[in-house]
Amino acid sequence: MGLSVKNTNKAIEILELIAGKSLKLYAYDEETKYKTNAILGADRKFDGSYESICMNVKNIPSDILDEFEVRRYDIGNSSYIRTEWEEKNKETENLTQIGWF
């Protein structure tokens, strides 16, 4: 079903709050799927919402995980924390993805 426009904007707001800075939004694709210091939006909808919104953090500190654990329930959609990747390479080593779908 994906995120509504309201929840898309809220997810971006929360991820920027957790990151402590404004982040550029990129389309999630093969070229950006491991990108850090960015927000990734998958499958943009006609109304500007996305199927999912996430960000990747290399060597994620516990305080960022703790903040996400608290804020993940601010959005009714399913939240997730991904630490396992099909591809095992330098890009995925110690990479954590947090977000909503």
Side-chain angles (χ1 to χ4, degrees), residues 16 18 21 25 58:
E16 287 182 332
I18 290 170
K21 59 186 171 184
L25 176 63
K58 200 77 151 155

Side-chain angles (χ1 to χ4, degrees), residues 10-63:
K10 184 71 171 173
I12 292 169
E13 178 186 313
I14 291 170
L15 293 176
E16 287 182 332
L17 175 74
I18 290 170
K21 59 186 171 184
S22 181
L23 298 170
K24 186 173 178 182
L25 176 63
Y26 291 88
Y28 187 97
D29 59 27
E30 284 299 312
E31 291 182 25
T32 63
K33 66 182 178 181
Y34 304 130
K35 189 168 187 60
T36 57
N37 294 313
I39 293 176
L40 305 173
D43 194 14
R44 188 173 193 271
K45 306 299 180 193
F46 71 93
D47 62 359
S49 65
Y50 285 85
E51 186 68 28
S52 67
I53 292 287
C54 64
M55 79 175 181
N56 295 318
V57 182
K58 200 77 151 155
N59 301 310
I60 194 165
S62 61
D63 61 324

Side-chain angles (χ1 to χ4, degrees), residues 28 33-34 54-57 60 65 68 72 79-87 92 94-99:
Y28 187 97
K33 66 182 178 181
Y34 304 130
C54 64
M55 79 175 181
N56 295 318
V57 182
I60 194 165
L65 275 177
F68 183 73
R72 70 191 303 176
S79 60
Y80 68 94
I81 299 171
R82 179 181 185 181
T83 57
E84 294 292 321
W85 301 86
E86 291 174 14
E87 302 88 357
T92 62
N94 298 316
L95 186 68
T96 301
Q97 185 177 84
I98 57 177

